[in-house]
Amino acid sequence: MTTIKLYDEDAYIKEFCATVVSCEKQGEKYKTVLDKTAFFPEAGGQPCDTGMIDGNRISDVQIENDIIYHFSDKPFSAGQTVNGKIDFERRFSFMQNHSGEHIVSGVINKLFSLDNVGFHLNEEIATLDFNGILDREQLDLIENTANKKVWENNAVKTYYPSAEELSGLEFRQKKEITGDIRIVKIENTDICACCAPHVKSTGEIGLIKLLAFEKMRGGTRIYMKCGGLALADYQNKLKNISKIQNLLSSKPEDTAEAVENLNRKLGAEKQKLSALNKKLIVFLAESGEAKNKITVVSDFDMKDLQTLADMLYKKFSELKVVLSEKEKDTYSFVIVGSEEETSYLFSKMKEELEVGGGGRNGMIQGTVKASLGEIKGVIESI
């Protein structure tokens, strides 16, 4: 049999009635076949729909040989008439983003003759892979052109063309397709083979936002959000930028410059701190504390810890441990001594404490999570 795909007939169907053809247990779930369904199965880089069938949660939907399988926690009875309801808000978000992908891919194909060779969509973001290199300036052009296509509110048509129609049709496709080919045609924009539900017109996408991109296997991967996802992303970033501007007492348009100024000031303060730490290192190496096996300092980075530990070891020719607190009960450490001594101490510390790190040639550095008393107790006992 072949499951009747109601989402092919109307992507906006939210509820439907169907008859249970079969239901069998598979692992911890029940695998159910209906005579027809509005649930879109996982396919074409898009996750499946979720929802309810007679109050029974449908968490996964798969397709194999044109038969659609619904996975639930509870069983159904063969011959039973059931009512299905999909999570339409989630479905519509997928429709916005998948239709947006078709527009972007169509624009890139026309402007730069590149093909979409990969697409993945989830509840948070869409990724698009192209077989060529794109830069930021080109992506800005792509984004502006794609959004103009959205605002034109062009019609989106999905259909199965006849063999004769198909033979004379130029369309995009990511891979060879066997069986009936479903076409998604976006007026004045793109024609592509696709099995997924789409919006009726491009205006429903609302907004296409290309967030980031990176080189990927000789091509370009684009990170994109459309519609509700793009709006939520903008709102989240606006909240963050508002917090930053309040902290910096700057205008929204001056925030980047204010952060740059803050970074310059921070860099200058770090240089001052580094100079003071160098003087402190010399002071500590000459002080009475230097004779101790364990030296505890504050606000030292790993490089300064290594310098101090190395200076102490060269002066006394015996194992030295230097610690600096990073946060409460978390310390950076450096152990310097003979390779045998440092390896033995490090292995014992790992047995007794939560330790990460490593090293060689008689110097080991890392991080230990414990109170200072616990750390000293373990080291001194060894």
Side-chain angles (χ1 to χ4, degrees), residues 60-219:
D60 189 19
V61 185
Q62 298 293 323
I63 186 169
E64 187 177 344
N65 298 323
D66 274 335
I67 301 175
I68 296 176
Y69 300 95
H70 308 73
F71 291 84
S72 61
D73 292 331
K74 299 176 183 178
F76 298 98
S77 301
Q80 178 183 354
T81 299
V82 294
N83 178 262
K85 183 177 181 180
I86 67 169
D87 294 331
F88 189 75
E89 185 175 345
R90 181 174 181 271
R91 152 75 78 79
F92 187 67
S93 176
F94 290 156
M95 289 163 61
Q96 287 181 313
N97 282 270
H98 205 145
S99 296
E101 177 267 319
H102 278 231
I103 293 176
V104 171
S105 295
V107 167
I108 290 175
N109 185 258
K110 285 181 173 65
L111 291 178
F112 304 107
S113 300
L114 299 182
D115 296 318
N116 183 318
V117 293
F119 170 64
H120 181 73
L121 172 64
N122 59 34
E123 288 88 348
E124 297 178 356
I125 201 164
T127 59
L128 293 66
D129 296 338
F130 294 90
N131 59 349
I133 302 300
L134 295 165
D135 59 31
R136 183 72 257 181
E137 186 177 350
Q138 290 170 324
L139 258 68
D140 288 343
L141 173 61
I142 293 162
E143 183 178 82
N144 290 335
T145 306
N147 277 293
K148 285 178 183 177
K149 295 296 183 182
V150 171
W151 304 329
E152 288 172 5
N153 201 27
N154 293 314
V156 180
K157 179 184 177 183
T158 60
Y159 66 104
Y160 288 90
S162 66
E164 185 178 351
E165 288 177 307
L166 194 64
S167 64
L169 193 62
E170 289 187 15
F171 61 94
R172 296 186 304 106
Q173 63 184 88
K174 298 184 187 72
K175 60 183 180 179
E176 290 299 320
I177 303 172
T178 58
D180 293 336
I181 294 180
R182 181 173 179 265
I183 294 295
V184 177
K185 180 180 178 180
I186 303 177
E187 184 183 349
N188 301 321
T189 306
D190 185 56
I191 303 176
C192 182
C194 182
C195 61
H198 285 268
V199 297
K200 290 179 180 177
S201 60
T202 60
E204 294 181 72
I205 298 169
L207 174 69
I208 294 174
K209 184 62 191 171
L210 307 184
L211 299 169
F213 70 103
E214 61 182 337
K215 292 180 181 178
M216 181 74 66
R217 294 185 290 274

Side-chain angles (χ1 to χ4, degrees), residues 18-23 32-35 53 76-82:
T19 301
V20 176
V21 175
S22 65
C23 181
T32 300
V33 176
L34 305 177
D35 64 336
I53 296 179
F76 298 98
S77 301
Q80 178 183 354
T81 299
V82 294

Side-chain angles (χ1 to χ4, degrees), residues 310-367:
D310 187 57
M311 191 177 291
L312 292 174
Y313 179 64
K314 286 177 179 176
K315 181 176 181 179
F316 295 99
S317 298
E318 63 179 23
L319 182 98
K320 293 291 181 181
V321 180
V322 181
L323 299 159
S324 178
E325 189 172 21
K326 294 173 63 178
E327 54 188 71
K328 182 173 173 56
D329 291 342
T330 301
Y331 290 80
S332 297
F333 70 86
V334 175
I335 307 169
V336 180
S338 70
E339 193 156 353
E340 183 180 357
E341 286 178 318
T342 55
S343 295
Y344 179 74
L345 175 56
F346 185 54
S347 65
K348 292 297 181 182
M349 286 175 66
K350 288 196 291 185
E351 288 177 9
E352 301 290 332
L353 303 167
E354 187 179 344
V355 175
R360 59 182 179 177
N361 300 327
M363 179 178 283
I364 295 175
Q365 57 275 326
T367 303

Side-chain angles (χ1 to χ4, degrees), residues 259-310:
V259 171
E260 288 173 353
N261 290 335
L262 184 62
N263 273 337
R264 282 193 289 270
K265 291 178 182 178
L266 182 60
E269 293 302 318
K270 283 183 176 179
Q271 287 181 339
K272 290 179 184 178
L273 180 61
S274 178
L276 289 172
N277 279 347
K278 286 177 182 177
K279 293 180 181 179
L280 182 57
I281 288 169
V282 174
F283 173 79
L284 289 170
E286 298 297 329
S287 70
E289 293 285 325
K291 296 179 181 180
N292 298 331
K293 284 277 193 302
I294 304 169
T295 301
V296 182
V297 295
S298 298
D299 298 323
F300 268 36
D301 61 21
M302 188 59 73
K303 185 177 179 181
D304 287 339
L305 283 179
Q306 290 171 334
T307 301
L308 176 57
D310 187 57

Side-chain angles (χ1 to χ4, degrees), residues 3-73:
T3 308
I4 297 172
K5 302 168 184 174
L6 297 176
Y7 54 82
D8 266 357
E9 301 171 13
D10 184 356
Y12 293 79
I13 292 176
K14 302 173 185 177
E15 295 188 47
F16 65 98
C17 287
T19 301
V20 176
V21 175
S22 65
C23 181
E24 60 183 51
K25 200 167 192 301
Q26 182 171 301
E28 297 298 315
K29 298 287 185 178
Y30 289 90
K31 179 180 174 182
T32 300
V33 176
L34 305 177
D35 64 336
K36 54 183 175 291
T37 185
F39 281 86
F40 177 74
E42 182 180 10
Q46 179 171 315
C48 67
D49 286 329
T50 57
M52 308 291 285
I53 296 179
D54 277 8
N56 196 348
R57 184 71 184 169
I58 303 301
S59 56
D60 189 19
V61 185
Q62 298 293 323
I63 186 169
E64 187 177 344
N65 298 323
D66 274 335
I67 301 175
I68 296 176
Y69 300 95
H70 308 73
F71 291 84
S72 61
D73 292 331

